[in-house]
Amino acid sequence: METTDYSSLNLSPEQEDRMIEDAFNDVLNGYLRSNHRKKVEIIKRAYAFAKDAHKGIRRRSGEPYILHPIAVAKIVSQEIGLGSTSICAALLHDVVEDTEYRVEDIEMNFGKKIATIVDGLTKISGGIFGDKASAQAENFRKLLLTMAEDIRVILIKMADRLHNMRTLGSMLPSKQYKIAGETLYIYAPLAHRLGLFAIKTELEDLSFKYEHPEQYKIIKEKIEESESRRKMVYDDFTAPIREKLDAMGLKYTINARVKSIYSIWNKMETKHVPFEEVYDLYAVRIVFDCEEDANEKSICWNIYSAITDIYKLHPTRTRDWISTPKANGYRALHLTVMGTDGNWVEVQIRSRKMDDIAERGFAAHWKYKIGESDEESELESWLKTITDILKNPEPNAIDFLDTIKLNLFAMEIIVFTPKGDLMTLPKNATVLDVAYNLHTELGSHCIAGKVNHRLVPISYRLQSGDQVEVLTSETQKPSAEWLNFVITAKAKTRLEASLRKERKKIMEKGEHILARLVDGCKPEEADSVTNKLMTLFHFLSRDDLYFAIGSDKVSINEGLLKSLCKKPGPGILYKILPFVGKGKKSSEQAADTNNKEKKEIDRKKIYVLRTENGVKNYQVASCCNPIPGDDVIGYVDDNGNVIVHKMDCDTAMRIKSNFGNRLVATKWEESPLANTFLASIDVNGIDRMGILQELIHEISINMAINIRKLNIEAKEGLFVCNLDVRVADAGIVERLCKQVKKIKGVTSAARVK
Ligand code: MN
C-alpha cells in the first residue's frame, strides 16, 4: 500500500474540494448500502462540522486534514461495519484534540453518545502519542480492555491507527518506528482479540514493513519467486476437490490461504526454520455459498467427507468450530490431509457468512441482519460477548487469549491525571493512593481531590475512567489513620515512611518537653520519673511515651510530676506498719509496761482504733485489709495485739465462732485521717486514647489520693484496670468510685472485696 506524494499532485483548490467531496460521498454511499438505519442527516452534519473545524490544516503529507477523518470514517463503516454513531464519531474524532472545540460543543450539536466517544478518543490520544507512549503502552492496553464500556472508542481508534499506518510513509522515520512498534505491540493483538482479523493482518504487515524493511523485502521476493511452484502444487491438490464439489452442485470459491508476510517471518523467527519450511506448510480455504443458514453445517460435513475420500486424513487434526464456535465467534470446519507431494495440507471449510465473520469479526453480523438494524442493540450483544470472554476465559477462549497473552485486569482501574496521563491502580484505590503514587510530597500534603472536577475527600474510592486532580496544602501532615485510605503498596510504603519521619519529629519534641519538666531532678530521679510515667500510661517503650507527650495525647502537669518525684515514703503500709506494742507480751504483761493503750484494753468496752499518724494501737488483718469506715471487729491475739478484721471477713467469722472470748468491739476514731489505708479498686470500661491519663488525673490530682500500684490491660477495645490506693477511709473509696465512673468510657468502678 504505497502512498502517493500528495504535493506532487499539484491540485487546484477546486480539484482538492472535489476530491474531499468524493471521499465523503464514498463513505456515505457505503453506509447507504449497509443494513444500518439511514441516518444520513447527522452524518452530513458531522462531516460539515469536522471540515469546518479542520479548515486550512494539512497533514504532513500535504493533504487537507479532513481527508484523514473521512478515511477513518470509511474504515469504520466499510471495514468494521459500524453505523451512524460511529461514523459521526470517526469524522469528529480529532476535533477536540486538534481544534478549539470542546467536548461540550460536540455534545450540544450531536448528543451525548457521540460526545462521549469523541471524549474517550481524545483522552487516549495523549497517552499514546505523547512522549511517554512506550511507558504507557501497557497501561493503554489495559485501558482499552477497561473501556469496553463503549467499545466503539476502541474500534474507531483502531480505524484511526489503520489509516495512520497506511499513510505512515509520509512521517519522519523516527516517528515511523515509534508508531509501527506500538501498532505491533498493542493494536494488532487487540484487533485479533476483537475478531478484526483482516485489520490485524494488515497492521502486522505494515508494522513489519517499517520495522524490518530488509526482511520484509526478502520475504516478499521469496513469495513471488515461489509463486509458480506453489501454484502448481495447489492446482494439483485442488483439482480432484473441485471435481467433487462441482458434482455436488455447490457454488464455492477455493483459494490457497495466503500467509501474511509478517506471520511467515514470525514463524521463521520463533521456530528457527528457513522460509521454505514455513511456506511449504500451506493451507487451502473453501468458501461456499449457502441460501439457508440451517444447511451450513451439513454442507460443511459433506465437503469434509468428499475431501477425505480423496486424501488421507490426519487423525487428530480435525477441528469442529461449527458445533462449538470459538469464543470470538469464529466458526469453520478444519481438517488436515496428506497432499500429493507428501506434505500435510490444512483445509478450512466455511460458508460465506462464516468467512465474513472470520475476517471481519462480529461486525460482519450486520451484513446478515434482515431489514434495518439498530447499531445500539447490535453493539450491546457484541459487547456482551467480548466482555464475557474478558471476564471468564473458558477453555474455548484460551487459544484466542494465548496468542496475545493478555490478562484481564478486572481487579484494576485506570484513572487519568489532568494532563491526560494514565495510571493503573487496584480496584478501590483512593485519591490518596493517586497522590502518593505521583509523589511522596503530594501524598503527605494531600488535603482533598477533584474527581471529574468535583471536590472529594482523600478517602474517595475511584472508578475507572475518573479524572483525578490532587489538592494539597502546605500545612497538611500525614496521619496514622490514612493507612486506612491507601491500598497500593507504593502509597503505603511512602505513607509509612512519612509517618516515621513525622513520628520522629514528634518524639523529639516529646523528649524535649519531658526533659524540661524534670529539669530540676537528679539524673537518676529523672530516669525513674520516666519509667514511672511509662508504667502509669502503659507504654512499652520510651519512644511511645515521648510520642504521646509530643503529640499532646498525654499531658503531664506539675502535680502529677511532683507525685512521681516523691520517693516511697512513710505512706506505704506494709513497710511502716508498727506492731501494737513492741514486745511479745501477754496482755497482762503489756499492762505492766508503759503501753497505756494495751493496758486499757477492755473487751467489754468498744475499742477505739486510733489512726493518727504514727499512733496505731492495733494491727489490720492482712486477709481483709479493713480501713476506717469499714465495719470492723478486733481480735486479741496471744501476744495481746488487737488484730482488726472486717466484720464480714471469713477469718473473722471463724474467730467469732471459736474464740468469742477474744473478741473486742472496735470503732474507728473520728479524726482527720492521713491517707494510710490500702484499698484495691477495679475499674472497667471502653478503651480510648487518654483514658488512663484522665483516670490518673482524677484520682491523683483532683481527689489527691495516692496511687500505690496500677495495672491496666486493654483488650479488644475494652480495658481492665486494677489500682491500689491509700485512703483515709471507706467513704473516700466510695467517693473515688463515684468520681471515676463519671469519666467517659468507664463502665464500672468498685472496691475489690
Ligand atoms: Mn486521527
Side-chain angles (χ1 to χ4, degrees):
M1 226 158 283
E2 299 300 323
T3 45
T4 25
D5 189 350
Y6 186 86
S7 50
S8 68
L9 292 178
N10 264 325
L11 299 176
S12 69
E14 292 76 26
Q15 285 171 312
E16 211 169 69
D17 268 354
R18 202 172 320 127
M19 183 185 184
I20 294 168
E21 289 304 316
D22 286 350
F24 174 66
N25 285 327
D26 190 20
V27 174
L28 206 57
N29 293 331
Y31 170 72
L32 288 171
R33 281 194 304 272
S34 76
N35 280 338
H36 288 284
R37 283 184 295 182
K38 312 291 181 249
K39 293 166 121 183
V40 174
E41 185 271 337
I42 194 166
I43 295 175
K44 281 184 172 165
R45 272 204 295 123
Y47 164 64
F49 193 97
K51 193 180 168 190
D52 181 61
H54 293 299
K55 199 157 128 193
I57 314 291
R58 286 175 189 275
R59 301 190 88 201
R60 222 188 113 79
S61 59
E63 65 181 25
Y65 196 90
I66 187 66
L67 285 172
H68 165 64
I70 292 172
V72 174
K74 187 178 172 182
I75 295 169
V76 158
S77 168
Q78 294 173 23
E79 293 182 51
I80 304 181
L82 299 172
S84 64
T85 304
S86 306
I87 293 171
C88 290
L91 287 167
L92 297 163
H93 83 272
D94 277 332
V95 164
V96 175
E97 176 75 9
D98 295 341
T99 76
E100 293 299 302
Y101 289 104
R102 298 165 308 145
V103 183
E104 288 80 0
D105 302 317
I106 306 286
E107 185 173 344
M108 232 160 62
N109 286 282
F110 302 99
K112 189 147 184 75
K113 201 141 274 162
I114 290 171
T116 307
I117 296 170
V118 172
D119 189 38
L121 286 160
T122 308
K123 272 179 179 170
I124 56 179
S125 69
I128 205 67
F129 294 113
D131 294 335
K132 285 178 248 163
S134 54
Q136 304 243 348
E138 190 58 28
N139 273 341
F140 180 73
R141 198 159 65 160
K142 291 179 198 171
L143 168 85
L144 293 176
L145 297 178
T146 319
M147 284 183 68
E149 201 184 318
D150 199 327
I151 201 140
R152 283 175 290 203
V153 173
I154 301 168
L155 296 172
I156 296 165
K157 190 75 203 167
M158 197 69 74
D160 184 29
R161 175 49 59 110
L162 182 58
H163 185 243
N164 284 332
M165 284 302 293
R166 284 176 181 170
T167 56
L168 198 57
S170 55
M171 295 285 244
L172 287 172
S174 62
K175 204 129 194 196
Q176 286 174 359
Y177 287 128
K178 193 171 100 70
I179 295 177
E182 208 177 68
T183 300
L184 207 52
Y185 182 63
I186 303 166
Y187 290 88
L190 199 63
H192 181 101
R193 167 166 260 194
L194 296 172
L196 305 168
F197 300 109
I199 290 179
K200 174 217 168 200
T201 305
E202 191 182 341
L203 287 175
E204 279 176 350
D205 274 359
L206 285 168
S207 303
F208 180 58
K209 182 178 148 191
Y210 286 100
E211 284 202 322
H212 303 278
E214 284 304 307
Q215 274 109 319
Y216 181 87
K217 220 177 117 203
I218 292 168
I219 293 172
K220 203 175 168 208
E221 278 168 12
K222 283 197 175 185
I223 290 174
E224 282 158 10
E225 274 169 28
S226 62
E227 182 72 40
S228 58
R229 195 183 80 84
R230 197 172 54 90
K231 179 94 170 68
M232 222 170 66
V233 175
Y234 166 76
D235 284 345
D236 273 2
F237 180 78
T238 53
I241 299 175
R242 286 175 190 279
E243 224 170 276
K244 281 249 181 191
L245 298 186
D246 288 341
M248 286 161 73
L250 286 170
K251 217 177 137 200
Y252 66 92
T253 53
I254 181 162
N255 287 305
R257 204 189 99 202
V258 184
K259 255 195 164 79
S260 75
I261 296 175
Y262 174 75
S263 71
I264 290 169
W265 176 77
N266 199 27
K267 208 155 218 167
M268 284 165 66
E269 285 290 298
T270 54
K271 302 223 163 129
H272 304 286
V273 290
F275 171 83
E276 287 67 28
E277 266 180 54
V278 177
Y279 203 60
D280 278 350
L281 296 169
Y282 57 94
V284 165
R285 181 175 298 152
I286 298 165
V287 178
F288 62 89
D289 288 336
C290 172
E291 296 297 321
E292 287 288 324
D293 279 4
N295 298 333
E296 276 184 324
K297 192 173 171 179
S298 60
I299 296 173
C300 281
W301 285 104
N302 288 342
I303 297 173
Y304 175 94
S305 169
I307 294 169
T308 51
D309 282 350
I310 307 164
Y311 297 111
K312 191 173 166 257
L313 177 76
H314 190 294
T316 59
R317 283 207 213 149
T318 298
R319 298 284 178 268
D320 177 9
W321 300 117
I322 296 169
S323 309
T324 37
K326 288 194 191 184
N328 60 11
Y330 182 81
R331 294 192 308 142
L333 184 60
H334 293 187
L335 67 155
T336 300
V337 294
M338 177 73 77
T340 40
D341 59 349
N343 282 317
W344 292 110
V345 180
E346 188 186 70
V347 182
Q348 301 177 345
I349 307 166
R350 300 171 179 173
S351 71
R352 183 75 55 201
K353 181 177 176 181
M354 291 175 191
D355 188 56
D356 267 338
I357 291 167
E359 294 303 296
R360 289 170 50 191
F362 281 84
H365 283 300
W366 275 291
K367 211 176 143 186
Y368 298 93
K369 282 284 154 185
I370 299 150
E372 298 182 345
S373 71
D374 178 18
E375 188 178 66
E376 297 304 320
S377 64
E378 280 304 314
L379 263 175
E380 212 163 279
S381 61
W382 181 18
L383 239 175
K384 199 186 166 305
T385 316
I386 288 175
T387 315
D388 284 351
I389 296 168
L390 298 182
K391 278 187 183 152
N392 322 297
E394 283 174 281
N396 259 350
I398 282 177
D399 68 318
F400 169 65
L401 294 170
D402 257 355
T403 349
I404 41 178
K405 290 175 186 66
L406 281 178
N407 301 319
L408 174 67
F409 302 93
M411 297 308 286
E412 295 186 341
I413 58 165
I414 310 270
V415 299
F416 298 92
T417 68
K419 283 182 195 156
D421 287 338
L422 301 170
M423 193 185 275
T424 310
L425 295 164
K427 208 175 156 187
N428 290 331
T430 61
V431 169
L432 197 58
D433 277 305
V434 172
Y436 271 111
N437 273 278
L438 287 171
H439 198 277
T440 307
E441 284 302 299
L442 270 183
S444 296
H445 294 113
C446 180
I447 49 163
K450 259 189 180 171
V451 170
N452 305 327
H453 309 292
R454 193 165 59 85
L455 199 67
V456 297
I458 57 171
S459 57
Y460 182 84
R461 282 168 201 258
L462 301 165
Q463 303 281 316
S464 230
D466 278 348
Q467 192 200 55
V468 188
E469 193 181 337
V470 173
L471 302 180
T472 57
S473 157
E474 284 281 305
T475 56
Q476 177 73 312
K477 275 181 199 159
S479 101
E481 67 163 352
W482 286 14
L483 286 168
N484 301 324
F485 307 150
V486 292
I487 68 164
T488 58
K490 195 172 179 181
K492 207 158 238 169
T493 315
R494 286 179 167 181
L495 170 56
E496 275 165 356
S498 27
L499 282 174
R500 270 197 303 278
K501 215 166 119 191
E502 194 61 28
R503 187 179 155 84
K504 214 174 151 215
K505 264 191 235 160
I506 294 170
M507 267 158 39
E508 279 164 8
K509 186 180 156 202
E511 199 175 351
H512 261 95
I513 295 172
L514 189 62
R516 269 204 313 279
L517 282 168
V518 296
D519 205 19
C521 305
K522 288 176 203 138
E524 66 270 19
E525 217 172 33
D527 210 44
S528 101
V529 166
T530 309
N531 287 337
K532 283 175 189 169
L533 282 168
M534 276 169 62
T535 314
L536 262 181
F537 294 108
H538 207 60
F539 288 122
L540 294 173
S541 73
R542 288 196 169 211
D543 283 351
D544 289 344
L545 175 68
Y546 294 152
F547 180 76
I549 295 169
S551 57
D552 284 336
K553 287 191 172 113
V554 156
S555 70
I556 296 163
N557 55 33
E558 293 289 316
L560 178 59
L561 201 66
K562 220 177 251 170
S563 71
L564 288 172
C565 276
K566 239 190 262 163
K567 288 220 173 62
I572 293 182
L573 211 51
Y574 69 89
K575 270 189 183 167
I576 55 97
L577 199 77
F579 272 158
V580 177
K582 293 202 171 160
K584 298 191 172 192
K585 297 158 188 167
S586 72
S587 50
E588 282 80 8
Q589 281 171 321
D592 290 339
T593 67
N594 289 329
N595 192 332
K596 285 190 173 179
E597 303 283 341
K598 285 288 176 253
K599 256 185 187 169
E600 285 167 13
I601 292 178
D602 180 352
R603 268 173 273 147
K604 284 174 187 146
K605 288 181 181 169
I606 293 171
Y607 186 83
V608 176
L609 305 172
R610 296 180 194 280
T611 55
E612 298 100 307
N613 279 343
V615 185
K616 290 184 185 69
N617 55 0
Y618 60 94
Q619 193 176 340
V620 295
S622 57
C623 55
C624 56
N625 279 319
I627 58 171
D630 288 338
D631 289 331
V632 284
I633 190 160
Y635 165 76
V636 182
D637 73 2
D638 288 345
N639 299 325
N641 304 318
V642 173
I643 316 286
V644 181
H645 289 266
K646 274 191 190 173
M647 199 65 99
D648 51 5
C649 164
D650 284 350
T651 311
M653 297 295 220
R654 217 169 48 243
I655 293 168
K656 276 188 267 183
S657 49
N658 295 313
F659 306 96
N661 56 335
R662 296 230 184 157
L663 290 175
V664 57
T666 51
K667 79 166 194 196
W668 298 101
E669 183 181 66
E670 286 178 5
S671 65
L673 305 168
N675 298 337
T676 49
F677 297 89
L678 189 70
S680 183
I681 296 161
D682 276 345
V683 182
N684 299 321
I686 297 148
D687 194 26
R688 67 174 163 86
M689 184 59 91
I691 191 154
L692 184 62
Q693 192 228 333
E694 278 179 44
L695 199 62
I696 290 164
H697 190 85
E698 182 60 36
I699 299 170
S700 331
I701 314 297
N702 292 355
M703 298 186 73
I705 293 169
N706 207 348
I707 298 173
R708 192 184 143 229
K709 191 184 96 190
L710 185 140
N711 242 319
I712 187 156
E713 200 177 342
K715 221 181 201 174
E716 284 150 12
L718 301 176
F719 74 89
V720 178
C721 171
N722 175 260
L723 49 94
D724 287 358
V725 289
R726 282 193 291 269
V727 292
D729 59 48
I732 293 173
V733 178
E734 244 168 66
R735 271 212 310 286
L736 185 150
C737 289
K738 213 170 125 191
Q739 285 306 113
V740 164
K741 276 195 257 184
K742 284 182 187 165
I743 297 170
K744 192 184 148 216
V746 173
T747 51
S748 73
R751 187 161 155 219
V752 182
K753 294 269 184 226

